[in-house]
Amino acid sequence: MSGGCPYFEKKHLLFKSKLLLNEEEADESQKGINKASKGGIIYGDYLQLDKVVTAQVLQSELKGNKIHDEHLFIVTHQAYELWFKQILWELDSVREIFISGHVRDERNMLKVNTRIHRIVMIFRLLVDQFSVLETMTALDFYDFREYLSPASGFQSLQFRLLENKIGVPDNLRVPYNRRHYRDNFKGHESEMLLSSEKEPCLLKLVEKWLERTPGLEGDGFNFWKKLEANIFEGLCLEKKKIAKMPDSEEKEEMMEELTKQKELFTSLFDIKRHEHLLSKGERRISYKALQGALMIYFYREEPRFQVPFQLLSNLMDIDTLMTKWRYNHVCMVHRMIGSKAGTGGSSGYHYLRSTVSDRYKVFVDLFNLATFLIPRHWVPKLDPNEHTFLFTAEYCDSSYCSSEDSD
Amino acid sequence: MSGGCPYFEKKHLLFKSKLLLNEEEADESQKGINKASKGGIIYGDYLQLDKVVTAQVLQSELKGNKIHDEHLFIVTHQAYELWFKQILWELDSVREIFISGHVRDERNMLKVNTRIHRIVMIFRLLVDQFSVLETMTALDFYDFREYLSPASGFQSLQFRLLENKIGVPDNLRVPYNRRHYRDNFKGHESEMLLSSEKEPCLLKLVEKWLERTPGLEGDGFNFWKKLEANIFEGLCLEKKKIAKMPDSEEKEEMMEELTKQKELFTSLFDIKRHEHLLSKGERRISYKALQGALMIYFYREEPRFQVPFQLLSNLMDIDTLMTKWRYNHVCMVHRMIGSKAGTGGSSGYHYLRSTVSDRYKVFVDLFNLATFLIPRHWVPKLDPNEHTFLFTAEYCDSSYCSSEDSD
Amino acid sequence: MSGGCPYFEKKHLLFKSKLLLNEEEADESQKGINKASKGGIIYGDYLQLDKVVTAQVLQSELKGNKIHDEHLFIVTHQAYELWFKQILWELDSVREIFISGHVRDERNMLKVNTRIHRIVMIFRLLVDQFSVLETMTALDFYDFREYLSPASGFQSLQFRLLENKIGVPDNLRVPYNRRHYRDNFKGHESEMLLSSEKEPCLLKLVEKWLERTPGLEGDGFNFWKKLEANIFEGLCLEKKKIAKMPDSEEKEEMMEELTKQKELFTSLFDIKRHEHLLSKGERRISYKALQGALMIYFYREEPRFQVPFQLLSNLMDIDTLMTKWRYNHVCMVHRMIGSKAGTGGSSGYHYLRSTVSDRYKVFVDLFNLATFLIPRHWVPKLDPNEHTFLFTAEYCDSSYCSSEDSD
Amino acid sequence: MSGGCPYFEKKHLLFKSKLLLNEEEADESQKGINKASKGGIIYGDYLQLDKVVTAQVLQSELKGNKIHDEHLFIVTHQAYELWFKQILWELDSVREIFISGHVRDERNMLKVNTRIHRIVMIFRLLVDQFSVLETMTALDFYDFREYLSPASGFQSLQFRLLENKIGVPDNLRVPYNRRHYRDNFKGHESEMLLSSEKEPCLLKLVEKWLERTPGLEGDGFNFWKKLEANIFEGLCLEKKKIAKMPDSEEKEEMMEELTKQKELFTSLFDIKRHEHLLSKGERRISYKALQGALMIYFYREEPRFQVPFQLLSNLMDIDTLMTKWRYNHVCMVHRMIGSKAGTGGSSGYHYLRSTVSDRYKVFVDLFNLATFLIPRHWVPKLDPNEHTFLFTAEYCDSSYCSSEDSD
């Protein structure tokens, strides 16, 4: 954008603090010495480039042995941190919409979904970004890595904040050398982390929102009860059909499979089992929220659920991309420092590998629900004339304006 | 890399200013308060994150109307500028190797080629990076673009330096609203630009290097003379073959085509025509350099030419990616501000479109040489027993150490 | 997916034509000879790999001079054609939803938008795919390009169908060597192209849909009239504000700019001017459709407009990516055959460059509307209590089932 | 390329089987009915599109329930198989160069490296290609997955060939449900796999090549002995330096670390340990080959080692990208069918996860060598005047022509 970005320049525009300039005149205004005098701002100042592009100090140079590739190392990490900042910016704004209750006004769903999607696009870039650092070989890295001690990526405040705010739970983190991740941070930073653990994370906010999914009401459409009835009726019909088949190995297999299916779905409707899985960290959201998610899956084409369905997809994308990022990171580390297999001590490489795990997938329930899909004709029917609630969105009068303001 | 980068952490390493720590101890050293006391550096300080991730000040917020998406706009441009800095870093180091004559020591070719290839990889990322900013719509942009005036991407010092150092010639630049690009800069920056125009650019350095291609020597292999002879002999044989065909429309066509081919190659060996094309800017490198490039093309598999051939390919990649970057930029501008067609005044959109042009392809000759390819059996034969110069690389005793030092 | 795709295998699933197998048993069923006897299908047969991966016949080999890289050339083009087939598949399904009127049932908007977005993702891949063919140099290509004559990418039926079905108008195509594009095709293919020109293209279908945008009704919300009133009132207030300023160069400039703004917006509300631009091909959709698009832009956060707004963005993405594809193509051609500058005759390179043009942007109006953005407070207010139509989606009873069936 | 590929069309070229056509005439030749009569080939026939784009038969449609998204599923897998074919093409050609001994002629190194790099670029595309299939949701997939049984990606012949030819060893494969991978294939295909296991794989060929690295000769430069001497001398000096320090915790730590370093390097020079690691599959190449690789690492800038060093990097890239491909596959499977946690039976998901392992990294030694890097001044010195062998490439007279022919 930067190099010759005229839409950037276009801004001189119409309603510039009531300073109406046309294009030629805007250009005029850039001429010579009196540019600043017109009160505008110039590119380098706007972007604070005096800070950003002067922040590359090579430790190797300071220590009298300037190594060319350290510059790449610094710039790459700074670029990661810049984008982490942007992700936090989006994440905080979305969390704010949920926390303030503005999400009840469904006009805000576009905003929520767009910003979550933007995080997806940033992570996609971050995954690709490894290809640049990979132009540095292990040997190039070796030449300066000694100077960096004891600095460590574990000390990236923003990445830890990001994990916390999305919802990586403290108790599922893989410990590194028996130390708590927060011990890498001191004073102010440690407090920021602690407070980010206490604030409602995206996972918890989405959970609350899913619990309010229209159609779950026991005195209304009562999706969950209807679904249970349909599934077991379907399985029963299936059983009868199989029973009528002449005896054969195939028939036996089908019967066995049917039994397994029944067990599977019985477990789905068993709240005790849900609580058990929750306690083990194998499920992360409430039973009600799980129902909401499944409802959105099955009725995703209903007008009110179209954007919510996109949102659930985007949340899975974030999870997937974060683990891909972790995995790409592992691959790079393997190339840079080897596996140190046999040298004893849990290595950084092996630690990192262990974080490429479903434990770090925050929205793991949204993936695992794929286990409980059913044929379309088992899904409880919605009559659009009767069940108009899926056609009519809600808004929130009072909060609307404030929502606008807050943004 | 940042979030949990253990190879980064690995650094506690072996030979750390003679401070030998093992892994566990290095981790020990991170504990608590006395981390700094051991004289090391921590992640955030190393990367100067206090400068980099605090440099996002929204003009819209300063003016009392905070617009969420301005943050993305700032971060994206800062990321571009960070990478421009890295490109300049690589470019300057490569230019230094050429200028100092270290390129004569062929051990330095790997370094040159690797760094040029790194620039390629960065540009590839920069082209992809548009996908993030494209999550902002024209309407989102409209909300804050007024506050940016008169800041403009035209004011990106680093991008202009980069163009100059690669070799975009001043006289081929498309003027924007009849103003010289340097007028967008004042004082110190304007001087930096002027001096970058005067320093040898990559194009000129590559030209000098190509002129020294082994095999061009008139009193040696004399590639150019041999090539000329072979081509015209080949065309002559072709003509005889066609002449023997029975008369037909096809024969006539083939004869006409042959005539055109002859004209084409006659022009290649006409130094006057070369000078003419040079003067018009349609060619950019000397006649001798052109010969060197074609020689490298034809004998690319010879040991000494393998890396040089890769280098020429990478230079074309840079050109291509820069124009793709420009074109992606054009596309984004079209979406953000429209074409303003019909409103009068050369718009930024139309200006930018005009820079997506072969005028801005610095290494255009390397592309255009594809016009002069010939069948393999027309290429002058090299006898590996006789022409050993393509098997034996040169080194430069005295310069070698200094090269090591300089890096 | 292919190499070890177990979800592919998972399918042995529950309800497999009433053949219920469990996982282990499914695996059992793959054992040995009796696999087929169970009536299933195996991977290679399913994908017809006997056709797909045997379709690589090198012309160079047929002519006795096998050139290694021709294989890459063939595979790359086949991959392009495979994806073109998929794009046509999505395009036809979306067009069918529009043509049949099922789009009136807003439950189908998710499907429409998802499929259009899938086309976007495919084009993104196709743009990236050039990086593989770019591993072939001009010299490698030269070795076999003679054997391909007179085959030409101009003869890609699917690409032309795709252009026609999206909406590249015949009269805006750049002619190539004074010939109509359809002349490259004979018999059946030529008829398919002709008929694709006559069928309603995506552009025309979207146009009709935009014309029905709720809120445009003259006897209802009457967006267009309200908008006109607001804009001119806004400009008038602006003028008064400027008039009160003390005389200065700045004031004069602002007045001039204001005048231009007024002219700009006057032109927007001038239907005659619209008809004129239509006739020149500078606009492509009806006046009513233009109004609908602008309405969706301004009220994109209203529940009924969220997905339509995404759809408009995705349509622009398609346009942008198609031109990026064309541009990447141009870059590759330049590298492969040079520009042939000076040899006379309009070259393929120059022809292709000319197609990277706004003439080939089908949804150019959606981009150009960015010229007519206004401050948020100028947008006519919608009272959610009064204007409930933006909160309540429509469905289409009768068509619903058939829609399900048709898909 | 396909859609309007004029360089494709350019082919009508110069020396087309002695058929010289110019551009206009070539176009003439495309006119009307007599196109074929001129003996050329047209685009669709050349690419055998009648086979490739007609090979999409939906099982769901055959079974009377056409599901739109199955088309995407088929096309995606076909695209994967097309590219697998191309990878095999490159792989076989490279293996042939090694097997035939043509690699001894160092003129062939460019070809080898370029083709290996092309495989890298294809894998990069294949990793990205998941983004297209990811536009299909678990629910879309559910609608047709039943029809695919018992087809399975495990049955991809080409992928297994590819693994074997690169060098995934049979005994390190993770078994799936206690069955040998070859049991998924019958007759001819099973034989092809068996024979691919017996042919020399890329790993073994590279191993042989590394063993011949110039400089390893015991009666020559004797790199390994010199290296051992230097390292232990270096460690010894280090120890003396530390010993002179005043007693402190730091001193103790440094001493401990030094001891570990000594152990590490002692293990490197212990051939028995190497044999042990080989037997466990933790190392894969011979001791001599390991030495060759390390020599290339340390002297990568020497002219003869520049391209070999690139080759080693590219081989690591292939490994990395194959595991990334596997991991992306795992992520997609998780989304498509869930983890089936709790349903019993080793699921496809869990199986796939287990293949994202260093067991499947063929060139794992090249990564792990990063553990044995040393300071530059410990690397045995090469005097360019004395050790000219690193400046002078070899060629192979007799084989050269045949190499040319064979390609």
Side-chain angles (χ1 to χ4, degrees), chain A residues 13-15 17-25 28 38 105-111 113-114 117 121 124 235 238 241-242 245 249-250 252-258 260-261 265 300-303 305-307 309-310 373-378 382-386 390-395 397 400 404, chain C residues 13-15 17-25 28 38 105-111 113-114 117 121 124 235 238 241-242 245 249-250 252-258 260-261 265 300-303 305-307 309-310 373-378 382-386 390-395 397 400 404:
Chain A
L13 282 190
L14 268 190
F15 308 102
S17 5
K18 310 307 142 217
L19 218 112
L20 309 180
L21 298 177
N22 72 2
E23 218 166 310
E24 282 80 24
E25 286 152 355
E28 271 317 291
K38 288 230 179 167
D105 186 331
E106 295 179 33
R107 286 179 291 198
N108 284 313
M109 281 309 292
L110 181 69
K111 205 178 278 175
N113 189 49
T114 300
H117 180 248
M121 295 307 285
R124 227 182 263 281
L235 288 170
E238 208 57 52
K241 219 180 294 177
I242 299 173
M245 291 169 66
E249 196 190 342
E250 194 190 345
E252 236 170 287
E253 283 168 1
M254 288 168 78
M255 224 27 137
E256 270 177 54
E257 169 63 9
L258 190 71
K260 287 207 170 162
Q261 284 304 317
F265 282 109
R300 63 198 179 281
E301 295 189 339
E302 301 304 323
F305 283 175
Q306 295 183 2
V307 175
F309 180 68
Q310 295 176 339
L373 300 185
I374 52 171
R376 274 183 190 247
H377 62 277
W378 289 16
L382 267 171
D383 181 337
N385 290 305
E386 190 184 342
L390 287 176
F391 285 80
T392 314
E394 277 172 22
Y395 69 95
D397 224 354
Y400 189 59
E404 280 300 296
Chain C
L13 282 187
L14 267 190
F15 308 102
S17 3
K18 309 309 144 216
L19 220 112
L20 309 180
L21 298 178
N22 74 1
E23 217 166 313
E24 282 80 24
E25 286 152 357
E28 269 320 290
K38 289 230 181 171
D105 185 331
E106 295 179 32
R107 287 179 292 197
N108 285 313
M109 281 310 291
L110 181 68
K111 204 177 278 176
N113 189 49
T114 300
H117 180 248
M121 295 308 284
R124 227 182 263 280
L235 289 170
E238 209 57 51
K241 217 180 294 176
I242 299 172
M245 291 169 65
E249 195 190 344
E250 193 189 344
E252 234 169 289
E253 284 167 2
M254 288 169 77
M255 223 29 137
E256 268 178 56
E257 169 63 10
L258 189 71
K260 287 205 172 169
Q261 284 302 318
F265 283 109
R300 63 197 178 282
E301 296 189 338
E302 302 303 324
F305 283 175
Q306 294 182 2
V307 176
F309 180 68
Q310 293 176 338
L373 300 185
I374 53 172
R376 273 180 192 250
H377 62 277
W378 289 17
L382 267 171
D383 181 337
N385 290 305
E386 189 184 343
L390 286 178
F391 284 80
T392 314
E394 277 172 23
Y395 70 96
D397 226 352
Y400 189 61
E404 280 299 297

Side-chain angles (χ1 to χ4, degrees), chain A residues 242-303:
Chain A
I242 299 173
K244 283 186 200 148
M245 291 169 66
D247 286 352
S248 72
E249 196 190 342
E250 194 190 345
K251 180 181 177 176
E252 236 170 287
E253 283 168 1
M254 288 168 78
M255 224 27 137
E256 270 177 54
E257 169 63 9
L258 190 71
T259 310
K260 287 207 170 162
Q261 284 304 317
K262 211 169 161 182
E263 280 167 24
L264 177 70
F265 282 109
T266 303
S267 82
L268 178 62
F269 292 99
D270 178 358
I271 187 167
K272 290 245 169 64
R273 182 165 167 75
H274 179 81
E275 301 298 342
H276 175 67
L277 291 171
L278 263 185
S279 73
K280 294 200 305 175
E282 288 183 23
R283 285 204 188 140
R284 312 278 171 90
I285 58 174
S286 73
Y287 198 46
K288 194 82 182 260
L290 199 82
Q291 297 169 20
L294 209 53
M295 184 159 185
I296 291 171
Y297 276 16
F298 288 148
Y299 303 97
R300 63 198 179 281
E301 295 189 339
E302 301 304 323

Side-chain angles (χ1 to χ4, degrees), chain C residues 281-297:
Chain C
E282 289 184 21
R283 287 204 187 141
R284 311 277 171 90
I285 57 174
S286 72
Y287 198 47
K288 194 83 182 261
L290 199 83
Q291 297 168 19
L294 210 52
M295 183 158 184
I296 291 171
Y297 276 15

Side-chain angles (χ1 to χ4, degrees), chain A residues 120-142:
Chain A
V120 170
M121 295 307 285
I122 295 173
F123 267 119
R124 227 182 263 281
L125 180 75
L126 297 189
V127 168
D128 287 347
Q129 199 166 293
F130 281 99
S131 61
V132 177
L133 194 48
E134 282 167 359
T135 62
M136 184 173 81
T137 67
L139 297 118
D140 299 321
F141 181 50
Y142 182 84

Side-chain angles (χ1 to χ4, degrees), chain D residues 88-104:
Chain D
L88 286 168
W89 180 261
E90 304 296 344
L91 204 49
D92 282 341
S93 83
V94 166
R95 288 169 59 245
E96 179 55 31
I97 292 172
F98 277 107
I99 291 170
S100 66
H102 291 150
V103 71
R104 285 168 186 272

Side-chain angles (χ1 to χ4, degrees), chain B residues 253, chain C residues 179, chain D residues 23-32 34 38:
Chain B
E253 284 168 1
Chain C
R179 296 179 62 209
Chain D
E23 217 166 313
E24 282 80 23
E25 286 153 355
D27 293 324
E28 269 318 292
S29 81
Q30 289 173 33
K31 263 191 194 154
N34 59 339
K38 289 228 180 170

Side-chain angles (χ1 to χ4, degrees), chain B residues 11-12 29 37 59 63 98 141 153 158 163 170 177 214 249 330 339 348 365 375 380 386:
Chain B
K11 62 336 178 183
H12 39 31
S29 81
S37 67
Q59 289 298 308
K63 298 193 178 136
F98 276 107
F141 181 50
Q158 290 196 124
E163 287 183 330
D170 193 33
N177 283 331
E249 196 189 344
V330 165
S339 71
D365 295 308
E386 189 185 344

